[in-house]
Amino acid sequence: MTSSVDFTFATSGLQSMLKFFTGTLDAAYFGSTPFLLGYAYGLPVRAIGIAQRLGTGHAVVTRGQPPTRPRIGTVSGSTGHEIAHVWATRTDREPVFVDLPPNDQVMAFKAGFIDGIACWEPYTTLAVRLGGERVLTGRESGNQLNLVCASSEALRERAPALRALLRTHDQATHKLNDGVSRSELHFLQGVFGDSLSQSECEVILRDGIEWADSAESSPTGRRDEITASLRASRDFLVSAGLISGNLPDLADAVAHLGDEAESEDPDRARTLRLGYSDSIMCAPILLGRHARLFRANGLDDTDSESRIVERIAALDEDYRKALRSIRTLISPEPELAVMKAGKIVEQELADFYERCFDRTPPRAISGAIDELSRFGVMPTRAAAAAHWLRNLRNDSAHRGREAVQYAETAYRLTVEILEWLQQETAQQLPRCARCGRAIEDDSWVACPHCAQVRRRDCGACGEPVQASWKACPHCGHGVQGQR
């Protein structure tokens, strides 16, 4: 039985861990440090595989010579926090840790409020670009791991879906190890932020993290490696005051997913709720989703609604550039943002209409939308979004500062329309200007469905001309009305 997968975004593994406490996640990637923290507090979660071994991507980044008591931004209880502890021990420093989400760490570092960050990619690269230096990396700090984890309930009730998740992870990992395609790199770079160049993204994916196949070693070997990593994290968590007392028995911390068949219960919910973040650690999840690897492994993600940042990342560069130009106007000039969104969509739809029907679109874009919809070219959802955006554009000048909320709506509508345009353009066939049916062979001189003439020969030079042209491009002779 096919399982569906529902993706839930979090800013870090620690936030995903908290979602396990509330029962809203079935599986996620964790660093070994937050995993042990949750496990020590009774979180019903188990490690089912090794996602990555840390490379240079996880690091402490400081600017210049940090003071004896530097202020270091990190996520409390994270793998970055543990690496910072190792750095402090080796350099006899006594840092003051500032608990901040990854993006806020970079902002605080840029503003000079903190002396460094202890984090992971893409945030460490962004900090280096601000003048920072990696003073200790995950590769140098010990044997921390990123783990594929699942709840105890999911292990009991969704084992086939978890096995499908591991297969998807392995296939995406192979892609990352072999070098992703340019289109896949374009997508990942877009998700991780346009402030990160494609070349930087490629270097991080290739060198920043050691991508691990979850099945590359025996179950015993994986268990031993994971257990060693957890034991190494224990001393840090105790010294940081995050756990106390005896460490729970680690014998049950790692679960092996065998190949046993699961008895089917048609009344049981089959959704696998999967957590992920903007960390490049989660690139296999993002890549697997983008490359349809989840579906190939029997996990139906068609009902999952991608975050808008991932939807934009999947668009062509020209569309992404257009959306950036709208985004920059939303806060300072919301009315202009709506006007720009409407103008961009109107031009794109007009160009699409002209390519589709080989004729000048109606003066009012509403006419083009109606025709595209009537002929079945434009689905109802995209047509409704286009009409709604047109109305927002017409009304934006009268809304004043109230237009901020409408600018956000216009932005999302633009994303939806551009998504449809990109998908449709990739498979676009010309259409008959009279009946709207597809012209499957561009050499056809007339529509086989309604007999509308598409091509004629120029009466002066004999070269083929399209029916909508007013003059022959070969000799300049007027062709309008020729038979």
Side-chain angles (χ1 to χ4, degrees):
M1 182 175 180
T2 300
S3 296
S4 61
V5 57
D6 184 23
F7 298 93
T8 300
F9 177 75
T11 59
S12 66
L14 195 66
Q15 191 181 92
S16 286
M17 183 185 72
L18 296 176
K19 292 179 183 293
F20 273 92
F21 268 119
T22 60
T24 55
L25 277 185
D26 298 314
Y29 288 3
F30 283 177
S32 54
T33 317
F35 171 83
L36 179 61
L37 180 61
Y39 186 75
Y41 278 98
L43 181 67
V45 65
R46 302 291 183 268
I48 60 174
I50 299 172
Q52 300 100 25
R53 298 177 182 86
L54 304 194
T56 59
H58 285 65
V60 180
V61 180
T62 64
R63 185 188 289 114
Q65 184 66 19
T68 304
R69 290 183 58 81
R71 291 172 58 83
I72 303 295
T74 193
V75 176
S76 181
S78 68
T79 305
H81 191 182
E82 181 177 354
I83 294 172
H85 173 77
V86 174
W87 169 74
T89 301
R90 293 182 184 179
T91 58
D92 293 326
R93 285 186 167 81
E94 299 178 0
V96 176
F97 291 114
V98 183
D99 190 6
L100 292 171
N103 193 55
D104 290 352
Q105 293 179 41
V106 177
M107 294 174 61
F109 184 65
K110 180 179 181 180
F113 297 145
I114 57 178
D115 301 302
I117 74 169
C119 202
W120 43 82
E121 295 289 12
Y123 308 101
T124 50
T125 287
L126 296 178
V128 169
R129 287 178 57 183
L130 293 171
E133 177 186 358
R134 290 182 178 88
V135 293
L136 187 75
T137 70
R139 185 171 293 163
E140 301 162 330
S141 67
N143 54 357
Q144 297 96 341
L145 300 171
N146 289 326
L147 305 172
V148 187
C149 304
S151 70
S152 301
E153 180 184 4
L155 283 163
R156 290 193 306 270
E157 300 184 357
R158 298 176 181 84
L162 292 174
R163 285 194 287 269
L165 169 62
L166 288 179
R167 288 195 300 271
T168 301
H169 166 82
D170 290 344
Q171 291 166 9
T173 293
H174 288 317
K175 277 180 169 284
L176 290 162
N177 276 324
D178 294 341
V180 296
S181 67
R182 299 309 297 179
S183 63
E184 290 166 338
L185 178 61
H186 170 90
F187 168 75
L188 291 172
Q189 179 260 334
V191 172
F192 298 132
D194 289 323
S195 56
L196 196 70
S197 71
Q198 284 201 19
S199 60
E200 286 173 324
C201 188
E202 188 171 23
V203 169
I204 293 168
L205 292 171
R206 185 182 66 243
D207 302 328
I209 296 178
E210 183 182 338
W211 303 105
D213 185 330
S214 68
E216 67 183 4
S217 60
S218 67
T220 301
R222 288 198 301 277
R223 179 185 297 275
D224 290 346
E225 186 175 1
I226 293 171
T227 302
S229 179
L230 298 178
R231 292 189 183 284
S233 296
R234 178 187 180 278
D235 292 341
F236 155 68
L237 291 172
V238 170
S239 66
L242 294 172
I243 62 173
S244 59
N246 296 324
L247 182 69
D249 184 3
L250 295 179
D252 295 328
V254 185
H256 171 57
L257 281 170
D259 298 323
E260 303 84 9
E262 182 191 49
S263 60
E264 297 295 345
D265 181 354
D267 296 326
R268 185 192 302 163
R270 310 298 299 182
T271 300
L272 181 72
R273 299 163 300 178
L274 178 59
Y276 73 108
S277 74
D278 274 345
S279 164
I280 290 187
M281 174 181 76
C282 291
I285 292 177
L286 295 161
L287 183 59
R289 184 159 150 184
H290 181 65
R292 303 183 185 277
L293 298 179
F294 281 96
R295 298 184 200 180
N297 286 298
L299 288 173
D300 181 7
D301 65 348
T302 54
D303 291 332
S304 297
E305 193 166 319
S306 302
R307 290 188 316 134
I308 195 166
V309 67
E310 293 161 48
R311 294 164 61 190
I312 293 171
L315 296 174
D316 291 339
E317 180 57 36
D318 287 345
Y319 284 171
R320 282 165 56 174
K321 184 177 179 180
L323 288 165
R324 283 197 297 271
S325 69
I326 300 169
R327 180 85 257 174
T328 57
L329 290 172
I330 288 178
S331 180
E333 299 285 352
E335 302 95 331
L336 290 180
V338 176
M339 296 292 290
K340 191 171 189 66
K343 184 177 180 180
I344 287 170
V345 167
E346 181 173 333
Q347 184 60 58
E348 292 296 330
L349 286 176
D351 291 346
F352 178 82
Y353 179 99
E354 189 167 356
R355 291 194 306 271
C356 193
F357 296 113
D358 187 31
R359 68 180 179 199
T360 303
R363 179 180 294 271
I365 196 62
S366 58
I369 297 169
D370 290 339
E371 278 195 64
L372 289 167
S373 181
R374 185 173 73 253
F375 288 140
V377 180
M378 194 172 193
T380 302
R381 183 173 177 177
H387 278 306
W388 194 2
L389 181 58
R390 181 177 58 84
N391 291 331
L392 287 176
R393 181 186 180 187
N394 292 339
D395 294 345
S396 63
H398 308 292
R399 295 190 185 275
R401 291 306 302 173
E402 185 186 8
V404 173
Q405 60 182 309
Y406 295 97
E408 290 284 358
T409 301
Y411 183 71
R412 290 181 175 273
L413 292 173
T414 304
V415 172
E416 188 157 327
I417 296 165
L418 294 183
E419 281 180 320
W420 169 76
L421 278 169
Q422 177 166 295
Q423 180 181 6
E424 187 66 26
T425 299
Q427 55 192 12
Q428 184 181 14
L429 290 172
R431 298 270 177 162
C432 173
R434 177 188 290 170
C435 71
R437 302 283 286 275
I439 304 298
E440 298 172 15
D441 189 332
D442 199 45
S443 67
W444 290 352
V445 297
C447 174
H449 307 289
C450 70
Q452 170 77 4
V453 175
R454 297 186 64 246
R455 298 182 183 278
R456 305 181 177 89
D457 291 338
C458 175
C461 68
E463 292 290 336
V465 294
Q466 294 187 13
S468 61
W469 291 351
K470 295 181 180 179
C472 173
H474 308 286
C475 70
H477 184 72
V479 297
Q480 193 75 354
Q482 284 193 28
R483 299 291 178 192

